[in-house]
Amino acid sequence: MSSREVVVLNVGGVRFVTRAFTLQQFPESRLARMLNDDDREFKLVNGEFFVDRDGALFSYIMDFLRTLQVSLPADFSDYQRLQREAEFYGLYPLADLLSQESLLKPRLEILEVHFSLQEMQAFFRIFGSCSTTIEALAEQITVFTGQQSGQGWNSPFPSQKPLVPLPLERPSHHDMVFLCGTEYSAGDQFVARYVSIKPDNRKLINGTNVLGLLLDTLLKDGFRLITTRTVVSEEKVECYTFERMKRAAGLTITVKQTPGSSGVAQARRSQVQKGK
């Protein structure tokens, strides 16, 4: 059979149409041998190969053969059943990956925002269980500073003097600290700090406004607010806790041809769309 020919499979009553080349990605598999009429489990009926297996799970097998990647839904739980199907079809690299569920399962990501008001300044500290999310937020958030004359907390417009961006304070890879508002400098001069959060272009000085924009940004990024609480200590700190299911890094199968062999399969990680 030519590798360009179309093959129709009927798996437990579910039809799949693909190319022979796709089924031959792993030459030692039963699907590849099927094309040579070398496997009695597959019956050729009216031009279709029939096998009495789970058709729903076979859709993941076909996706794997077409992309050489393992990509499963966030709510997927049938790892053992799919592993058993992979073993049945002789796709042992896939079966080995499925045996390592921790590599494939989405992980719960936790993020916490601490917010406190002190006179004319607002203080923010963001903690995250995933350092890449904190890195992404650090790229979105910019603090600008400049001097103002006789202007206070609720001044709606930045000073005409140029504003200078400040680097965010990063105590660790998992948190960041910044503040906004004004503080007394000398005479009637004030040091003002504005916060901008992409993709919003505004420069905000009022801490409550910055908090609202920050929370809205996190919600749009797929986080879900699960708890709010107030910590009463020397400072009154409001705490907002978010969670998000973060997809695991994708796993790709690379097939390396070696002399005298039909191919050696190796697994490597590849990054998928961030945090979703």
Side-chain angles (χ1 to χ4, degrees), residues 1 18 21 36-37 40 45 71 91 111 149 171 188 204 207 216 223 225 260 273 275:
M1 177 176 288
T18 186
F21 173 80
N36 299 320
D37 298 323
R40 296 181 179 179
V45 180
S71 180
L91 297 170
L111 188 141
S149 298
D188 64 347
L204 304 177
D216 185 59
F223 281 96
L225 180 64
Q273 187 175 5

Side-chain angles (χ1 to χ4, degrees), residues 92-104:
Y92 297 108
L94 174 59
D96 291 342
L97 288 179
L98 291 168
S99 68
Q100 305 175 60
E101 294 183 25
S102 60
L103 296 178
L104 301 172

